[in-house]
Amino acid sequence: MRSDSKIYVAGHRGLAGSAILRRLRAAGYTNIVTRTHAELDLIDQTAVHSFFERERPECVFLAAGKVGGILANNTYRAQFIYENIAIQSNVIHGSFRAGVSKLLSLGSSCIYPRACPQPIKEEYLLTGPLEPTNRPYAIAKIAGIEMCWSYNRQYGTKYLCAMPTNLYGPGDTYDLQSSHVLPALIRKFHEAKVRHEVTVPIWGTGSPLREFLYSDDMAEACVFLAQLDRDQLSTILNDSQPPLVNVGCGEDHSIRELAELIKEVVGCKAQLSWDHSKPDGTPKKQLDVSKLSSLGWKARTSLPQGLRLAYEDFLARGAAFRA
Ligand SMILES: NC(=O)c1ccc[n+]([C@@H]2O[C@H](COP(=O)([O-])OP(=O)(O)OC[C@H]3O[C@@H](n4cnc5c(N)ncnc54)[C@H](OP(=O)(O)O)[C@@H]3O)[C@@H](O)[C@H]2O)c1
């Protein structure tokens, strides 16, 4: 990518997309195109195709999608599969029609089988049953990977799929009905602190192990991937495997450990109260990031450091955060 290459960031106001936009600007890219959801509904195929024909970007970061935590995924199953398939289908095919040379589509670590060996290698895709609570979302994301791979094989495109682990950072969603575990805990501990509550109820046993990546680190990895040259790309793009790269920090933490860390960062004195009647989800989820490390990228924000930055952002946005 040249510094004046036209780059479209889809979903630029979301957690992942806003981090990619910040990273591109910081790296000196000056010709960035964005559209809000209200300006361009990515589910509308006609609108998306005419947008691509008009703008003709050279590079696309696909960070738009219907995203949520376990409750939202399990409740809005139809919306999760329909909206994610439609968005990907329109953006990937629209990109191809407009001659986009580089596309990086964001997926998620939940595309991998529920019980696959840990840490999770890219090659474990489609080797076993998925976690039932987010199966519609995972299948939509798998369809996106298959699309990129198929376009690469049939049309010779160079479309990549980055699979980030759980993200957190500036611009996260703190609505308790739809948020992921980390932002939900930030909000719960903050509210418990200001209301002087004595306990904070938390779903599950606290034993599941999860990996968390600061969104700016994820964005750095995505821009790094988009900047790879033909030789470097050949290790990811070949006919024998999907064009997948795991993006994580390579270490996991128990939910209990995470909750204790957030409690400390927030400065909350309440006790944790674990609700064992609620589901834990997959016992352990950690990505094998050796493919990305071998290309030369490594995450740099530690969890305590990232949590302090995320809490500062939560406080700075105050009532304006998307609840
Ligand atoms: N959050 C995570 O932990 C995580 C982890 C791994 C991978 N990812 C991936 O990153 C991508 C983005 O996730 P996120 O966490 O950044 O989600 P997010 O904060 O909810 O942002 C989603 C973005 O998509 C846009 N969007 C949704 N539906 C749209 C539509 N029909 N037309 C146009 N824009 C639409 C939203 O626009 P509005 O704000 O205007 O509605 C928003 O900008 C997802 O595809 C997900 O697979 C996220």
Side-chain angles (χ1 to χ4, degrees), residues 11 13-16 37 40-42 63-65 67 107 137 141 164-165 167:
R13 293 199 303 183
L15 171 64
H37 190 161
L40 176 65
D41 183 356
L42 295 172
V67 181
Y137 176 72
K141 289 290 166 187
T165 188
L167 301 174

Side-chain angles (χ1 to χ4, degrees), residues 8 10-20 35-44 48 62-68 83-84 87-88 105-110 137 141 162-168 171-173 180 183 212-213 218 247 322:
Y8 169 47
H12 71 287
R13 293 199 303 183
L15 171 64
S18 61
I20 290 173
R35 290 290 183 279
T36 63
H37 190 161
E39 289 164 343
L40 176 65
D41 183 356
L42 295 172
I43 290 173
D44 180 342
V48 175
L62 174 46
K66 173 91 182 153
V67 181
E83 293 182 27
N84 285 305
I87 290 171
Q88 288 170 168
S105 175
L106 290 187
S108 153
S109 56
C110 70
Y137 176 72
K141 289 290 166 187
M163 295 303 120
T165 188
N166 302 295
L167 301 174
Y168 69 101
D172 214 339
T173 303
H180 291 104
F212 300 95
L213 183 67
M218 176 279 313
V247 178
R322 289 183 300 149

